[in-house]
């Protein structure tokens, strides 16, 4: 008798072993006669993982996120969600952008902004919608601010509203495109920890996070794995698992040897890639 692995015997285990997202040989050209922004870009994301994507400025990180969530068609390759090609924005994904001032509706309250994407959901009763809105607002620590308008909130609070709005949708995958690039350093730390709290709070549902960031320290602090992209046409040049213990702590974790080693390695990879992009070292 041929020995079979446990996943071959158990179809449920087989499904669980399948990646949630498979990014396969993506290439993007904005114009047919223009340069390739990415080429042969491939990696996988499993359910519940926190994956950070870093790379040199302009290498195509935002382009990649937009292809993953179906807002942009790849020129070559494909994105598979649960094994099926993504051909448009899937309901399982929500996207948070850097610029919260443009993503919130200024004329709506906090509750109104969070409620907005649920408006057309016919599968939820008004009570279920209300419960989701309340839970998302409380998950980001804004209970009590439901009736405030964006102009009455700090930048960090506005970004919390944007995150609550994404969470109210109960996405399986939360895509974050440099979400904390426009806030001060202390607020940024608070918001980073908010993401970790959200990950724990929704652990049973297995929320998966994909974060694009310029900040290598932030990537190491938050992620289970960092995908380092090279210069355009970008592809993955390093895939680094981050084995730091959870729960993480802004002071303790950032002082650990493993943290320092991971950040040094990523800095080196991004630096080497910068050289390859054209900054030829002088002999
Ligand atoms: N809509 C567009 N049309 C044409 N070119 C575009 C478009 N969007 C982005 N690009 C080009 O694609 C390349 C990658 O841009 P992208 O914003 O994806 O990079 P990025 O890594 O996110 O940049 P940054 O780190 O500066 O935020 C850039 O050269 C940019 O000019």
């Amino acid at each position: 008798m041929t020995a079979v692995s446990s996943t071959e015997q158990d179809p449920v285990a087989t499904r669980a072993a399948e990646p949630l997202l498979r990014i396969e040989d993506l290439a993007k050209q904005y114009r047919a006669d223009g340069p390739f922004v990415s080429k042969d870009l491939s990696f996988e994301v499993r359910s519940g993982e926190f994956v950070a994507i870093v790379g040199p400025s302009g290498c195509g990180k935002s382009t990649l996120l937009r292809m993953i969530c179906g807002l942009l068609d790849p020129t070559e390759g494909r994105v598979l969600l649960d094994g099926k090609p993504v051909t448009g924005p899937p309901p399982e994904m929500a996207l948070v952008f850097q610029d919260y001032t443009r993503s919130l509706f200024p004329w709506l309250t906090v509750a109104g902004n969070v409620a907005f994407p649920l408006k057309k959901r016919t599968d939820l009763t008004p009570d279920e919608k209300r419960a989701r809105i309340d839970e998302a607002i409380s998950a980001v620590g804004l209970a009590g601010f439901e009736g405030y308008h964006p102009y009455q909130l700090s930048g960090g609070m506005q970004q919390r509203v944007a995150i609550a709005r994404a969470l109210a949708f109960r996405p399986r995958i939360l895509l974050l495109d440099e979400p904390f690039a426009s806030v001060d350093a202390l607020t940024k730390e608070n918001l980073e920890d908010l993401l970790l709290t959200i990950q724990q709070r929704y652990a049973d549902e297995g929320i998966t996070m994909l974060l694009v960031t310029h900040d290598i320290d932030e990537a190491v602090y938050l992620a289970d794995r960092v995908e380092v992209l090279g210069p355009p046409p970008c592809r993955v040049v390093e895939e680094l698992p981050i084995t730091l213990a959870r729960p993480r702590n802004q002071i303790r974790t950032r002082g650990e040897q493993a943290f320092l080693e991971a950040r040094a390695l990523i800095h080196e990879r991004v630096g080497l890639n910068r050289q390859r992009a054209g900054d030829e070292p002088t002999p």
Side-chain angles (χ1 to χ4, degrees):
M1 196 171 81
T2 322
V4 290
S5 72
S6 58
T7 53
E8 281 171 306
Q9 291 168 325
D10 178 354
V12 175
T14 306
R15 274 203 305 278
E18 280 290 306
L20 174 63
L21 266 180
R22 195 190 289 262
I23 286 98
E24 263 185 14
D25 302 321
L26 283 190
K28 182 67 189 173
Q29 226 179 350
Y30 278 101
R31 285 197 333 263
D33 59 347
F36 275 95
V37 175
S38 55
K39 198 100 173 102
D40 302 323
L41 176 49
S42 302
F43 63 97
E44 292 179 354
V45 181
R46 296 190 180 277
S47 181
E49 269 192 310
F50 197 133
V51 174
I53 299 162
V54 301
S57 184
C59 76
K61 300 181 290 296
S62 298
T63 300
L64 167 63
L65 268 202
R66 281 185 266 150
M67 288 193 280
I68 291 175
C69 69
L71 287 173
L72 203 58
D73 288 332
T75 309
E76 292 165 19
R78 58 189 189 159
V79 175
L80 299 174
L81 171 63
D82 284 328
K84 296 186 199 77
V86 171
T87 52
E92 294 97 329
M93 293 191 201
L95 185 56
V96 174
F97 297 99
Q98 171 184 343
D99 192 353
Y100 48 83
T101 55
R102 282 196 291 172
S103 63
L104 296 183
F105 297 116
W107 60 90
L108 291 180
T109 61
V110 167
N113 269 287
V114 176
F116 192 81
L118 297 182
K119 268 192 170 165
K120 290 194 175 151
R121 291 279 295 263
T122 50
D123 57 323
L124 296 171
T125 65
D127 279 351
E128 285 169 333
K129 287 184 187 179
R130 183 80 259 149
R132 279 201 185 194
I133 294 160
D134 290 346
E135 142 131 27
I137 290 174
S138 122
V140 300
L142 284 180
F145 291 91
E146 291 82 350
Y148 282 57
H149 284 79
Y151 75 88
Q152 296 172 301
L153 304 173
S154 69
M157 289 163 92
Q158 290 182 51
Q159 191 57 302
R160 282 171 188 263
V161 178
I163 295 170
R165 185 170 60 187
L167 289 177
F169 222 79
R170 297 267 169 87
R172 286 172 70 201
I173 307 174
L174 185 57
L175 304 163
L176 302 133
D177 193 355
E178 306 209 25
F180 312 140
S182 308
V183 296
D184 64 87
L186 264 182
T187 305
K188 184 173 148 86
E189 287 189 3
N190 285 333
L191 291 173
E192 287 167 357
D193 286 336
L194 173 67
L195 288 188
L196 296 179
T197 309
I198 288 168
Q199 194 190 24
Q200 274 182 319
R201 183 168 178 148
Y202 292 93
D204 290 347
E205 291 149 57
I207 192 164
T208 302
M209 304 228 201
L210 220 56
L211 168 79
V212 160
T213 179
H214 272 121
D215 184 337
I216 292 173
D217 286 24
E218 176 173 279
V220 176
Y221 178 62
L222 292 173
D224 296 310
R225 184 154 45 81
V226 178
E227 301 285 345
V228 185
L229 304 185
C234 76
R235 62 183 174 83
V236 174
V237 294
E238 183 82 45
E239 212 164 29
L240 187 67
I242 306 294
T243 51
L244 295 161
R246 292 185 188 273
R248 293 183 184 170
N249 172 285
Q250 291 284 359
I251 307 292
R252 196 197 59 241
T253 304
R254 287 175 190 263
E256 286 180 28
Q257 189 59 25
F259 181 94
L260 301 174
E261 282 168 9
R263 88 191 269 275
L265 179 75
I266 297 170
H267 269 286
E268 190 190 357
R269 293 300 276 147
V270 173
L272 282 177
N273 289 321
R274 240 182 251 136
Q275 263 184 16
R276 268 190 235 137
D279 300 345
E280 290 299 326
T282 43

